[in-house]
Amino acid sequence: MRVHKLTFAALAVAASLSLTACNGDDTAQSDPSSASTESSSGGSDSGDAGSGDAGQDSAKDSGGQGTAAGSGSDADSKTGKCRTDDLDITATDSTIDGDTDGSVAVTFQNGGGRDCILSGFAGVDLKTSEGELSAERSGQGASPMTLKDGKSVSFTVSYPVNDSGGSGVGVTGLVVTPPGETKSYSLEWPGAATLPVTDGSGSPVKVFPIGSAGQGGAN
């Protein structure tokens, strides 16, 4: 009987301890001060995250604006080719006494309000009593050059002199097409009035590269 009583007493003590532990857990979970602390901590974390996101968005916006401005600057700095409508084209007799061939200097003056690029050969055709005569290219084309607004550059057209004593072939005009353009410009022919009649074995009409007349470059 004594053994049974001790056993019952031990069980009663264990049950009492278990009940106390459970009540302690419940108290900790429902403690309002603990909940308040967790809520306050969570609010602080959220605020930091929001501030970080806003900073990243601001950096992205700033980077985007910088890229756009750079692209605009690059686009504005590009120089296009010289257009026929932007050039004031003139021609003058440049023949020097003693030369075997006559020559005409054709000048391009940039009046387009912006710098532009010229290179190679211009197209040159002579209007004659026998029809149009295209000048042959002579030499190597000039490297690309920038023609500043308001500046000019010239090139030479050479042609055979009619010293046969005959009437020859009458020249009535000059047609010039700037390099890379399809629109032409018509001028009065400032050279000799006639070319010699030839079977093709004589000296042809020639056009030289941009910059081949005057000082060889833009003035």
Side-chain angles (χ1 to χ4, degrees):
M1 289 295 292
R2 186 175 180 181
V3 173
H4 288 297
K5 288 181 179 179
L6 290 174
T7 300
F8 291 147
L11 291 174
V13 171
S16 175
L17 291 174
S18 176
L19 180 59
T20 301
C22 290
N23 290 338
D25 290 344
D26 291 341
T27 302
Q29 290 176 0
S30 61
D31 185 0
S33 63
S34 174
S36 175
T37 302
E38 289 177 1
S39 175
S40 174
S41 174
S44 176
D45 290 343
S46 298
D48 291 343
S51 177
D53 291 343
Q56 291 176 3
D57 290 343
S58 176
K60 289 178 183 178
D61 291 343
S62 176
Q65 291 175 358
T67 301
S71 299
S73 178
D74 290 343
D76 292 342
S77 67
K78 292 182 179 178
T79 303
K81 69 178 180 179
C82 296
R83 300 287 186 179
T84 304
D85 291 339
D86 294 336
L87 299 172
D88 181 15
I89 305 174
T90 56
T92 58
D93 183 14
S94 59
T95 304
I96 299 175
D97 291 341
D99 285 353
T100 56
D101 288 337
S103 64
V104 167
V106 179
T107 300
F108 291 151
Q109 182 173 17
N110 183 4
R114 63 177 180 87
D115 296 350
C116 61
I117 295 176
L118 281 172
S119 63
F121 293 89
V124 172
D125 297 286
L126 269 60
K127 293 180 179 180
T128 76
S129 56
E130 302 295 327
E132 283 199 355
L133 175 64
S134 296
E136 297 180 7
R137 294 179 176 182
S138 180
Q140 302 216 346
S143 299
M145 66 178 70
T146 299
L147 185 60
K148 299 286 188 181
D149 183 37
K151 298 297 183 179
S152 61
V153 66
S154 302
F155 64 92
T156 298
V157 177
S158 71
Y159 60 94
V161 176
N162 181 18
D163 55 8
S164 65
S167 60
V169 177
V171 182
T172 60
L174 174 65
V175 180
V176 177
T177 308
E181 283 287 86
T182 56
K183 186 175 182 178
S184 301
Y185 189 81
S186 296
L187 302 162
E188 291 185 2
W189 172 247
T194 62
L195 301 176
V197 176
T198 178
D199 57 5
S201 60
S203 177
V205 176
K206 299 177 183 179
V207 56
F208 292 85
I210 301 293
S212 63
Q215 298 180 354
N219 298 315

